[in-house]
């Protein structure tokens, strides 16, 4: 064991995502396997500042691999943005005897970990946990696969009623500033149109596409809209716009919202989480720090946190082309 790490902290931070519990379970079980103590830190950096800790052993994480959400709770923490807040957090960790931590979260959580390491030299390792799939350095973030399956299931249900009433539905999905959820779930659910932030194709094109759908005999349509879409109209305004310009359509709206953040993680997310937890703990014990565990071409890779937080992952242009062809 290259490092003198004897006690590892683990916490979840930022928007929760399915698979976080599986990752917590993996970190705890890997520590137990390697005879390292593990401490759960509740409510992210806020709990760290408050010393809200609980020792976790292999049995503490029974029956959670299949549970959405996070047993350690999550939070966004303004105090950690201050030097005083980070100092309090550091003092709490030292008092508890924690030598390193694994943060399961998104860009914001990793930025905090990186700053903390720069200020205190404290070993940190990141696991990408967000449904947005927007973190450089990993083809998949924990929760993305579960979220797109949730969205596809919801759209399949909406399509039942849309086709019964010959209606057009605008379905808004999450993803913050990126369109990965909308694009992948849109293709998977056979949406007639997919509006994503990475492409602003304009309202005229949308009208033309809807006209073509009608002319080709489609009696109902689903348009999936990423919440960060750049048309300049929210889904309710899009409904009004289409009703005004294409009165042939009977239009409804469905905003899926936070249901996309919940649910039992898919096997893909559970396996990914289990792999990432082992890699994160073993990397810390090898003396590594300031890295994020990711997956590329089915292999686990380590990316400097400074790289991972630089930008969002690119949209898949080939998938956009597939989507365009599928709307023929
Ligand atoms: O980052 C995950 C995410 O679900 C985004 O897709 C969404 O825009 C945001 O979190 C919602 O944040 P909150 O949970 O604070 O409402």
């Amino acid at each position: 064991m290259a490092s003198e790490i004897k006690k590892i902290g683990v916490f979840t931070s930022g928007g929760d995502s399915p698979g976080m519990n599986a990752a917590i379970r993996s970190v705890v079980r890997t520590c137990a396997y390697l005879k390292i103590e593990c401490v759960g830190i509740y409510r992210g950096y806020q709990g760290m500042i408050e010393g809200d800790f609980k020792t976790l052993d292999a049995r503490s994480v029974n029956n959670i691999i299949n549970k959405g959400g996070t047993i350690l709770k999550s939070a966004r923490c303004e105090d950690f943005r201050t030097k005083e807040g980070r100092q309090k957090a550091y003092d709490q960790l030292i008092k508890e005897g924690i030598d390193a931590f694994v943060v399961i979260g998104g860009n914001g959580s990793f930025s905090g970990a990186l700053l903390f390491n720069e200020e205190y030299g404290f070993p940190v390792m990141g696991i990408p946990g967000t449904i947005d799939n927007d973190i450089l350095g990993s083809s998949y973030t924990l929760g993305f696969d579960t979220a797109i399956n949730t969205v596809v299931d919801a759209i399949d249900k909406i399509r039942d009623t849309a086709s019964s009433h010959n209606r057009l539905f605008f379905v808004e999905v999450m993803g913050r500033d990126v369109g990965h959820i909308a694009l992948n779930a849109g293709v998977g659910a056979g949406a007639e149109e997919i509006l994503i932030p990475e492409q602003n194709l304009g309202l005229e094109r949308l009208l033309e596409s809807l006209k073509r759908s009608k002319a080709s005999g489609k009696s109902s349509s689903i348009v999936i809209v990423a919440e960060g879409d750049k048309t300049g109209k929210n889904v309710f305004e899009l409904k009004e716009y289409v009703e005004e310009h294409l009165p042939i359509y009977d239009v409804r709206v469905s905003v899926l919202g936070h249901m996309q953040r919940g649910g039992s993680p898919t096997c893909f997310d559970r396996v990914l989480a289990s792999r990432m937890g082992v890699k994160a703990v073993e990397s810390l014990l090898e003396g590594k720090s300031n890295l994020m565990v990711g997956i590329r071409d089915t292999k686990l890779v380590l990316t400097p946190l400074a790289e991972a937080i630089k930008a969002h992952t690119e949209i898949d242009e080939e998938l956009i082309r597939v989507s365009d062809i599928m709307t023929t």
Side-chain angles (χ1 to χ4, degrees):
M1 196 175 297
S3 69
E4 286 314 304
I5 292 176
K6 298 278 182 282
K7 191 183 284 190
I8 292 177
V10 60
F11 63 100
T12 45
S13 175
D16 69 319
S17 71
M20 282 189 164
N21 276 328
I24 293 165
R25 172 179 177 270
S26 177
V27 169
V28 172
R29 293 252 168 111
T30 305
C31 287
Y33 177 80
L34 297 171
K35 308 278 186 282
I36 296 284
E37 282 190 79
C38 190
V39 175
I41 301 168
Y42 283 89
R43 296 174 294 117
Y45 292 114
Q46 193 59 45
M48 194 186 288
I49 290 170
E50 297 170 8
D52 192 358
F53 302 148
K54 181 183 177 190
T55 299
L56 300 174
D57 62 21
R59 299 288 64 82
S60 310
V61 289
N62 284 352
N63 305 318
I64 67 168
I65 192 170
N66 60 327
K67 299 263 188 310
T70 160
I71 61 168
L72 294 177
K73 311 291 182 193
S74 185
R76 295 183 170 98
C77 178
E78 289 308 312
D79 291 348
F80 200 76
R81 293 177 186 280
T82 67
K83 185 75 174 76
E84 295 71 26
R86 293 191 294 273
Q87 183 63 55
K88 282 180 189 167
Y90 180 72
D91 295 344
Q92 293 282 13
L93 293 172
I94 299 306
K95 185 176 154 194
E96 181 70 20
I98 294 173
D99 309 302
F101 66 57
V102 176
V103 48
I104 305 164
N107 285 326
S109 307
F110 293 164
S111 302
L114 194 55
L115 182 54
F116 194 70
N117 173 270
E118 284 164 2
E119 288 175 343
Y120 298 100
F122 196 87
V124 301
M125 198 61 60
I127 290 178
T130 170
I131 64 168
D132 299 345
N133 209 43
D134 59 351
I135 300 179
L136 283 179
S138 190
S139 302
Y140 293 96
T141 57
L142 291 182
F144 174 66
D145 185 63
T146 304
I148 57 177
N149 279 285
T150 297
V151 172
V152 165
D153 182 56
I155 291 178
D156 287 351
K157 290 179 168 67
I158 292 170
R159 191 178 288 282
D160 288 345
T161 179
S163 54
S164 301
H165 290 267
N166 293 342
R167 281 173 171 166
L168 160 63
F169 268 82
F170 283 103
V171 180
E172 183 189 276
V173 297
M174 283 186 163
R176 204 181 291 275
D177 307 325
V178 298
H180 300 305
I181 293 174
L183 180 57
N184 284 269
V187 172
E192 276 67 31
E193 271 298 321
I194 303 170
L195 304 184
I196 55 177
E198 295 86 350
Q199 270 193 324
N200 183 5
L201 298 173
L203 295 168
E204 280 311 309
R205 181 192 178 281
L206 175 62
L207 292 180
E208 284 311 308
S209 171
L210 292 173
K211 280 180 196 165
R212 275 199 311 277
S213 287
K214 206 70 169 173
S216 71
K218 285 187 180 178
S219 59
S220 65
S221 290
I222 303 281
V223 176
I224 189 166
V225 184
E227 63 180 341
D229 169 57
K230 301 266 191 304
T231 51
K233 290 183 183 299
N234 65 38
V235 279
F236 298 100
E237 292 162 339
L238 285 172
K239 169 183 185 296
E240 287 167 13
Y241 182 82
V242 169
E243 283 173 334
E244 183 189 337
H245 293 81
L246 288 178
I248 50 170
Y249 274 106
D250 182 9
V251 190
R252 293 294 186 275
V253 170
S254 186
V255 177
L256 298 187
H258 284 69
M259 68 180 290
Q260 297 163 86
R261 288 259 288 273
S264 179
T266 58
C267 183
F268 179 86
D269 273 333
R270 298 182 197 190
V271 171
L272 183 59
S274 301
R275 293 178 66 188
M276 287 182 161
V278 173
K279 184 71 174 178
V281 171
E282 289 183 337
S283 299
L284 284 171
L285 298 183
E286 289 163 8
K288 294 176 181 151
S289 177
N290 290 359
L291 299 166
M292 178 195 79
V293 181
I295 186 167
R296 278 216 191 100
D297 302 330
T298 76
K299 295 281 180 283
L300 291 185
V301 294
L302 293 172
T303 302
L305 286 176
E307 291 298 312
I309 61 176
K310 261 188 187 158
H312 291 319
T313 45
E314 295 284 316
I315 200 74
D316 184 336
E317 295 293 341
E318 184 262 342
L319 190 53
I320 288 178
R321 183 169 170 274
V322 167
S323 159
D324 289 342
I325 294 170
M326 291 303 107
T327 55
T328 301

